C-alpha cells in the first residue's frame, strides 16, 4: 500500500529540523541571498551537501518570476506555473519527487516570506494529488 505523501513547506532561512524535514528541496530558481549552501542543507546537480536537493526543472522560470514581480496576478501566475510544470522535463521531476514524498517526508524550501501563499504551495498541491 502507498503511503500518503508527507510534504512540508518552510522558509529556507529556517534551521533544518532533521527528524521532521526528511529530504529538503529548494524550489526557488535563484539561490537565496546570504545563505551558505552548507547551512541550507540542499544540493543541486553539483556536489551533494547535507542530503537535500535543488531541482530547477520544477522551479518557476525566470520569465514567469519576473512577470509576477512586475505586477502579475496570483491566479494567472498559478495557471502559468502549472503550464510550466506540464512540460516533459518538469513532469519527470514531479514524478521523482512524488516518489520521494511517498517514501518519507519531504520539505519544500523557499525564500519567500509566506510559503503557504507561494509557488511552493502550488507545487505541494500537485505533488500531493
Amino acid at each position: 500500500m502507498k503511503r500518503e505523501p508527507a510534504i512540508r513547506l518552510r522558509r529556507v532561512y529556517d534551521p533544518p529540523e532533521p527528524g521532521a524535514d526528511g529530504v529538503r528541496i529548494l524550489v526557488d530558481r535563484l539561490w537565496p541571498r546570504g545563505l551558505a549552501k552548507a547551512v541550507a542543507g540542499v544540493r543541486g546537480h553539483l556536489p551533494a551537501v547535507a542530503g537535500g536537493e535543488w531541482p530547477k526543472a520544477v522551479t518557476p522560470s525566470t520569465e514567469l518570476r519576473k512577470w509576477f514581480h512586475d505586477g502579475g496576478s496570483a491566479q494567472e501566475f498559478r495557471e502559468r506555473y502549472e503550464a510550466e510544470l506540464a512540460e516533459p522535463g518538469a513532469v519527470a521531476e514531479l514524478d521523482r519527487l512524488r516518489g520521494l514524498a511517498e517514501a518519507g517526508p519531504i520539505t519544500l524550501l523557499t525564500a519567500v516570506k509566506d510559503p503557504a501563499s507561494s509557488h511552493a504551495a502550488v507545487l505541494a498541491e500537485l505533488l500531493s494529488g
Side-chain angles (χ1 to χ4, degrees):
M1 177 170 29
K2 267 198 215 180
R3 285 178 58 170
E4 191 67 29
I7 302 169
R8 301 177 71 197
L9 299 177
R10 296 189 66 215
R11 292 196 75 213
V12 70
Y13 299 106
D14 296 337
E17 294 180 0
D21 280 351
V23 178
R24 294 169 56 83
I25 303 166
L26 179 63
V27 294
D28 291 342
R29 174 73 50 160
L30 302 176
W31 188 261
R33 291 182 186 180
L35 188 66
K37 290 181 181 172
V39 172
V42 302
R43 67 176 187 259
H45 299 288
L46 300 171
V49 178
E53 301 197 12
W54 188 15
K56 291 186 180 181
V58 297
T59 65
S61 68
T62 299
E63 296 79 16
L64 180 57
R65 186 177 47 78
K66 287 181 178 180
W67 171 84
F68 184 67
H69 289 296
D70 285 342
S73 74
Q75 182 58 40
E76 190 170 348
F77 173 87
R78 180 187 184 97
E79 292 167 7
R80 290 182 180 198
Y81 183 42
E82 288 177 349
E84 288 183 357
L85 293 172
E87 294 293 320
V91 169
E93 189 63 29
L94 286 170
D95 288 343
R96 191 183 72 78
L97 294 175
R98 277 189 197 99
L100 288 176
E102 289 169 0
I106 65 171
T107 299
L108 304 181
L109 302 169
T110 180
V112 300
K113 291 181 181 172
D114 182 12
S117 298
S118 74
H119 67 285
V122 174
L123 184 56
E125 285 178 33
L126 290 174
L127 291 172
S128 295

